[in-house]
Amino acid sequence: MPAIRDGGTLIELRGWQGPAGRGIRVCPVMMPDRIGDSVSLDILCRKAENGVLTPRVAQVLPAAEAAHAHRLLEGGGLRGRVVLDFS
């Protein structure tokens, strides 16, 4: 919850229902038939690679800088997600 701004939305995939607090809305998404659907995940990946799907990324950091990524999130004001690169 600390990474979500006041009044923001959490899309939840694992059955957690809160409480969220700070006006955060929790939207559960239950897709048990897709839990092992690597084909669809691969399709989404290709759409992102081809520019059809454009995720908003604020910054890509090496996994070793996870603590810095958390500080960025805590600071707020980011337009996009912080991505950790484990490669």
Side-chain angles (χ1 to χ4, degrees):
M1 285 301 136
I4 301 171
R5 69 181 164 100
D6 293 355
T9 302
L10 169 70
I11 305 300
E12 188 284 313
L13 304 172
R14 297 188 176 202
W16 182 78
Q17 295 182 12
R22 301 185 351 256
I24 296 172
R25 187 170 61 125
V26 178
C27 297
V29 175
M30 303 304 246
M31 299 180 64
D33 58 328
R34 297 287 188 167
I35 201 154
D37 188 354
S38 59
V39 172
S40 292
L41 185 58
D42 188 53
I43 290 169
L44 286 173
C45 180
R46 276 182 279 159
K47 286 183 177 186
E49 288 172 344
N50 294 330
V52 175
L53 175 67
T54 53
R56 186 178 286 178
V57 176
Q59 195 167 354
V60 178
L61 298 170
E65 293 185 33
H68 176 61
H70 280 278
R71 286 191 296 276
L72 288 171
L73 290 170
E74 289 171 356
L78 295 174
R79 293 193 53 88
R81 304 291 181 253
V82 176
V83 176
L84 292 177
D85 184 350
F86 288 87
S87 62

